[in-house]
């Protein structure tokens, strides 16, 4: 009758950061596409992906080590 704790899902920070970066890159790219067409999309996608992945890693580290 006693229930054990459910197994905690293991998340991989690098994979989560890649997905977050891709989402941020697509959003930034679509906004820039409206202004500067394909070149704007490519540049904004790269910058958004880098920024988004770094922000995701920073947020995950903040959750692991609260101050």
């Amino acid at each position: 009758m006693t229930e054990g704790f459910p197994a905690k899902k293991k998340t991989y920070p690098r994979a989560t950061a890649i997905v977050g970066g891709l989402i941020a890159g697509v959003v930034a790219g679509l906004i820039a596409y409206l202004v500067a067409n394909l070149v704007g999309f490519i540049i904004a996608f790269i910058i958004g992906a880098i920024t988004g992945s770094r922000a995701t890693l920073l947020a995950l580290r903040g959750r692991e080590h609260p101050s």
Side-chain angles (χ1 to χ4, degrees):
M1 292 223 174
T2 60
E3 294 181 16
F5 291 106
K8 193 174 184 179
K9 287 185 179 180
K10 182 171 174 116
T11 58
Y12 299 100
R14 218 174 239 178
T16 305
I18 290 172
V19 171
L22 289 176
I23 293 171
V26 168
V27 170
L30 289 176
I31 293 170
Y33 180 75
L34 297 175
V35 176
N37 292 329
L38 186 60
V39 174
F41 176 81
I42 293 170
I43 293 170
F45 177 80
I46 293 169
I47 293 171
I50 292 170
T51 305
S53 64
R54 297 305 298 164
T56 304
L57 280 175
L58 184 65
L60 289 174
R61 286 185 189 147
R63 285 186 194 167
E64 290 176 358
H65 305 289
S67 322

